[in-house]
Structures are given as C-alpha cells and as structure tokens.
Amino acid sequence: MKNIVVLGTGGTIAGTAASAADNIGYRAAQVGVAELLAGVPGMSEVLEGHALVCEQVAQIDSKDMSFAIWSALALSVQQHLAQDDVAGVVITHGTDTLEETAFFLHAVLPAALQLHKPVVLTCAMRPASSLNPDGPQNLLDAVALARTDGACGVMAVCAGVVHSALAVQKVHVYRPDAFSSGDAGPLGYVEEGRLRQVKNWPLALTHQTSGALEKLEHINPWPRVEIVMNYAGGSAAVVDALLQPLPSAPPLRGLVVAGTGNGTLHVELIEALQRAEQAGVRVLRASRCGEGRVLPVAGSLFADSKGLSPVKARVALMLALM
C-alpha cells in the first residue's frame, strides 16, 4: 500500500455560495484541500488501504492561474512522484484553465516519472456548498484512477470521463460534464471506483531533462506570447498594437493565431503577422474550431500548432522560447 498525494489549488471544487441553490454566484477557492477530502463519503473504500497525503499548493480561482503557481505545482508534483512510497498524484483545480495546466505538466514533468506514475487533475462545475455538488464524486474518481495499477501520464477526470492532457478541453460553461477529448476520444471511464480503459495511457514527451523544472523556476519573466483570433472583417490592428512596446510588460516574443477552419487567416491579418515575424516574433497557426487539428498546407506562411488548441499552443511556444 502506498500514498496518494492530493495537491490543492482552489477552484470551484473548493468554492462556496451563500445559498445551496446558487451554482454560479459562488466564490471559488474557499475550502482547503484537507477539508474537501474529509467531506468525501466512501473515500476509504476507494483507497483500498492506500493512504491520503494532502498539500495546499495554492488557493485561487483558476482564471487567475499564474506562471509562479505553475512552477510551484510542477516542482511539488515532481518531488512527490519521485518518492517510492507514492503511487500517484491528484490535483484539485478550477475548470477554467485546467486544460492549460494539464498540458503544462505533461510538457515539463520528466518523462521517466510520467511513464510509471499517474498525475490526475480533477475539478467541479458546482461549488462545495451546492445542493448537489459534483466535486466529491470527481475526487473519488480521481483517487480511484491514481491508485489504478499501471496508470501513468498526465490526465484529467471529470463526470467519470478520463481525458489525456493533450486532448482535454472545456467545452461547456455550465453542465457538470463540461469537458471533452474532441475527436481523439477519452482514455476511459471511472465506474463505481473502477477504471474501464478504452485507450492506451497517454505517452509522455521524451525531451524533458533532469533539472529542467528547477531552471524554469528561476526564469523571470517568462516569454510573452499572446493569442489573436481570425474572424470576418478581421484587421491588422490587434497585431500591430501588440507589437508596440509597453512599459509594464516584456516585449512580445510569440503569437498564436486561432484561425478559422484549417487555420485560415484574413488577408489583412496575414500581412500583420508577416510584419510580426520580421520583427522577430514567432507565429504559430492554430484553429478556433473545437474539434480536429490544423493540417499542414504546402507553402503555408506560418508554422502550424501540430494539433494543439490555441491555449495549449501558447504554452508550448512559451516553453520553446525558453
């Protein structure tokens, strides 16, 4: 029997409202992770002899996620995974930026650790004070997944569905089943404390090196990468404004453009992005579509995001620029 480590970062799962009937007017990140775990019925049965260890890494609404918290969280995950008595790590997180945090951890955690142990992010769409909160069941499912023999890689579980860090996206603003893996499909389902696996465990990237996270912790500021979108009547104005120096921000280093369809771009936006590249700014072409991936086109002016959504492509580009 080993430990399951639960790292708290806040979010709706730890939120409270004045009324149990209020599922949108709550304040996120009000309940500590230890209190959350203590309030989950049936946890001892799901643990099957494993022990829970918890740590509060942050206490925020995930819309306010910062690079500093990402670094602290990744370092904590790495340290726990390296312990022989730890079977896996669970992270409680807000839904708004869960997909970005999941991809960040997938991209920076050493492959040697990801290949042998799971990192499971979970969340809630209703606050802890809700008449019918979804957080307790999601926590049970996350712990069940983290203690599953052979589980490995960075994943997210919500409403009983297991998603890989590469595929997971928030696709609904309200319903408890708010996440999707798009046309990639989920990895599996947690049913009554047991995993029904339908796809292989997610593959870790192989380029991570020992000590990379420690170096990341000391990079300040992180490379500034912004996201722009293509739309009918789009113009060069947004890109040209982003290229202007700001006294309170580092210079622009990268742009991810959420294009229409297969990453297609308005003619005026293309011209602006070319000016950005001439100024030394890296440009990546993604799509604003919720499913599918940008397919490379011969003679394309800009590199594509290799299947990543705009927000994940931004994380990848920041890391590449480091």
Side-chain angles (χ1 to χ4, degrees):
M1 296 299 110
K2 295 187 176 183
N3 295 329
I4 305 295
V5 178
V6 184
L7 305 178
T9 67
T12 298
I13 194 171
T16 57
S19 167
D22 188 354
N23 289 321
I24 57 174
Y26 58 87
R27 290 183 62 192
Q30 300 302 300
V31 182
V33 66
E35 186 178 348
L36 278 181
L37 291 169
V40 178
M43 182 63 81
S44 59
E45 289 84 353
V46 168
L47 282 167
E48 294 186 341
H50 293 283
L52 276 184
V53 177
C54 64
E55 176 187 330
Q56 196 78 49
V57 175
Q59 188 69 309
I60 62 163
D61 187 321
S62 79
K63 68 179 177 58
D64 300 318
M65 182 56 69
S66 69
F67 300 149
I69 294 174
W70 268 359
S71 293
L73 179 62
L75 283 168
S76 181
V77 172
Q78 177 179 245
Q79 290 164 2
H80 286 297
L81 289 181
Q83 304 302 312
D84 291 338
D85 62 348
V86 170
V89 172
V90 171
I91 300 168
T92 61
H93 200 288
T95 60
D96 286 347
T97 57
L98 180 146
E99 63 201 79
E100 293 162 77
T101 299
F103 177 76
F104 170 74
L105 293 172
H106 171 77
V108 301
L109 289 172
L113 296 178
Q114 292 190 52
L115 288 169
H116 296 98
K117 296 181 181 180
V119 178
V120 184
L121 287 84
T122 195
C123 54
M125 290 295 289
R126 295 170 179 163
S129 58
S130 175
L131 189 65
N132 186 23
D134 53 329
Q137 184 65 59
N138 286 343
L139 265 172
L140 279 177
D141 291 346
V143 169
L145 180 56
R147 62 112 173 96
T148 297
D149 289 341
C152 61
V154 181
M155 297 168 280
V157 62
C158 179
V161 185
V162 182
H163 309 275
S164 75
L166 276 174
V168 65
Q169 291 188 69
K170 186 175 180 180
V171 296
H172 203 278
V173 301
Y174 181 74
R175 70 187 185 207
D177 185 10
F179 287 86
S180 171
S181 289
D183 52 11
L187 297 173
Y189 305 90
V190 181
E191 300 162 339
E192 298 299 311
R194 290 287 182 272
L195 173 70
R196 176 165 62 90
Q197 191 173 352
V198 297
K199 290 179 66 177
N200 292 333
W201 299 114
L203 295 175
L205 302 178
T206 57
H207 65 265
Q208 298 100 324
T209 58
S210 178
L213 277 180
E214 287 74 8
K215 294 175 184 176
L216 192 68
E217 187 182 19
H218 299 291
I219 294 175
N220 188 30
W222 283 27
R224 180 178 160 219
V225 177
E226 305 287 358
I227 300 174
V228 296
M229 182 182 285
N230 189 58
Y231 41 81
S235 72
V238 173
V239 174
D240 289 338
L242 289 171
L243 289 172
Q244 299 304 309
L246 295 173
S248 59
L252 185 68
R253 298 279 307 282
L255 278 172
V256 175
V257 55
T260 38
N262 190 37
T264 56
L265 305 172
H266 192 285
V267 61
E268 291 188 23
L269 186 56
I270 289 175
E271 293 171 355
L273 293 169
Q274 287 179 306
R275 291 195 293 274
E277 284 200 328
Q278 290 167 3
V281 175
R282 289 268 298 276
V283 176
L284 279 184
R285 185 172 55 93
S287 176
R288 73 184 201 185
C289 294
E291 294 192 9
R293 54 185 295 155
V294 173
L295 301 175
V297 177
S300 176
L301 295 171
F302 310 108
D304 67 79
S305 64
K306 301 189 184 302
L308 295 177
S309 67
V311 292
K312 292 179 182 178
R314 175 176 173 263
V315 176
L317 184 51
M318 283 193 296
L319 294 173
L321 288 168
M322 292 179 189

